[in-house]
Amino acid sequence: MHENRSLTGRLLVLAAAMFGFGFALVPLYDVFCEITGFGGRTNATAAVVEEAPDLTREIRIEFMTTVNSYAPFELSSDVSSMTVNPGKMYFATFTGKNLSGENKIAVARPSVAPPAASEHFVKIECFCFESQEFAAGEERAMPLQFIVDPELPDYVDTITLGYTFYDTARAAANNPL
């Protein structure tokens, strides 16, 4: 009888530890991605210094947008691509629209490819930094301001910046804490 209680106690402690570890994984993964650039995330806290542009080098920036399958939104970039010089500041605009008849909150998750470019693509202003509140049927322009670091490896001549739009209320309902 004493052995069963001891085993039950150890199993309960193990289950509680596993449960706690599961909750800790998401913030730990986010920190890991911010530090390493893994998963195409950029370092949004990088120092912003507009250096003398390298006018001898051109980098093609391609913009891709997707909307999570359950999100009642549209998201598009106003241009599909642009050519930039490293060290110079650029602006791009994206358009988001709430397709539902209710007020909604969306969040955009960025990704950068190739992975070697993620630490050299510095976003100064981005709609992805904060949740976006949309009134029912609202459509609006959302800004992106960025610099490509001149230290970008020479073999990288194209950077793909992608955004996925999510409905935060629906995501929260599908992933309760």
Side-chain angles (χ1 to χ4, degrees):
M1 184 69 166
H2 178 66
E3 292 174 4
N4 287 343
R5 285 186 182 169
S6 177
L7 177 61
T8 302
R10 282 190 242 149
L11 289 175
L12 287 173
V13 169
L14 180 62
M18 289 172 35
F19 186 75
F21 183 72
F23 272 105
L25 277 179
V26 173
L28 288 174
Y29 181 75
D30 286 343
V31 169
F32 174 77
C33 290
E34 280 295 320
I35 292 170
T36 65
F38 183 75
R41 295 200 181 168
T42 59
N43 185 357
T45 61
V48 177
V49 177
E50 188 172 8
E51 301 179 20
D54 181 355
L55 301 176
T56 65
R57 186 171 179 201
E58 292 185 336
I59 308 296
R60 179 178 167 88
I61 308 294
E62 297 176 339
F63 300 110
M64 295 181 60
T65 59
T66 58
V67 176
N68 192 278
S69 62
Y70 59 77
F73 294 102
E74 284 181 355
L75 177 65
S76 62
S77 60
D78 291 358
V79 296
S80 62
S81 66
M82 61 193 315
T83 302
V84 303
N85 299 107
K88 187 174 179 185
M89 192 173 309
Y90 290 90
F91 298 88
T93 306
F94 290 74
T95 301
K97 182 175 183 180
N98 178 358
L99 300 175
S100 78
E102 302 173 1
N103 294 347
K104 293 284 185 181
I105 299 174
V107 65
R109 294 290 181 228
S111 65
V112 176
S118 65
E119 65 187 68
H120 301 284
F121 190 90
V122 181
K123 290 181 275 183
I124 294 119
E125 178 184 2
C126 183
F127 62 95
C128 65
F129 291 162
E130 297 178 355
S131 296
Q132 301 295 315
E133 295 184 27
F134 286 89
E138 179 184 5
E139 178 177 340
R140 74 163 172 273
M142 300 178 296
L144 169 66
Q145 181 180 5
F146 66 92
I147 295 175
V148 175
D149 184 349
E151 298 298 317
L152 179 73
D154 290 336
Y155 63 86
V156 178
D157 61 358
T158 302
I159 297 173
T160 302
L161 176 64
Y163 287 101
T164 302
F165 232 19
Y166 294 91
D167 178 354
T168 59
R170 179 74 184 243
N174 288 339
N175 298 310
L177 294 178

